[in-house]
Amino acid sequence: MTPEQRQEVINRLNERLARHPCPRCGNQEFSLVDGYLSQPIQEQIGGIVLGGPALPSVTVVCTRCGFISQHALGALGLLPPQGN
Ligand SMILES: [Zn+2]
């Protein structure tokens, strides 16, 4: 994640009002993980499918209790344009 991408994520989270305190401990300081997560989406519970559909996201961590929250890049309008 470049510094520009990082700032864009922070800007989008602020624009979308994702600014409430931590739901677990009430802390108001968070850290944005420096990178993206891409969780696989599977139709079956058994096994692990690699290379299939995925849910790309960014991760925010409470600096006091470590509570982890994720925000889908698509909902934030941060997915790169896709072809047909
Ligand atoms: Zn917390």
Side-chain angles (χ1 to χ4, degrees):
M1 182 183 289
T2 67
E4 293 78 19
Q5 290 170 321
R6 184 176 182 80
Q7 188 59 53
E8 184 68 23
V9 168
I10 293 168
N11 292 345
R12 291 296 170 97
L13 290 173
N14 282 323
E15 288 169 12
R16 306 293 171 96
L17 305 178
R19 297 181 285 194
H20 288 268
C22 173
R24 298 290 293 170
C25 75
N27 183 31
Q28 299 204 27
E29 293 186 19
F30 299 90
S31 174
L32 175 64
V33 173
D34 191 20
Y36 301 98
L37 265 65
S38 188
Q39 297 176 312
I41 299 171
Q42 301 188 181
E43 291 188 17
Q44 304 293 326
I45 194 71
I48 297 173
V49 177
L50 299 176
L55 179 63
S57 63
V58 289
T59 305
V60 176
V61 180
C62 171
T63 59
R64 184 191 308 171
C65 78
F67 181 79
I68 297 170
S69 58
Q70 295 180 339
H71 299 265
L73 289 180
L76 294 177
L78 294 175
L79 282 180
Q82 309 224 346
N84 297 331

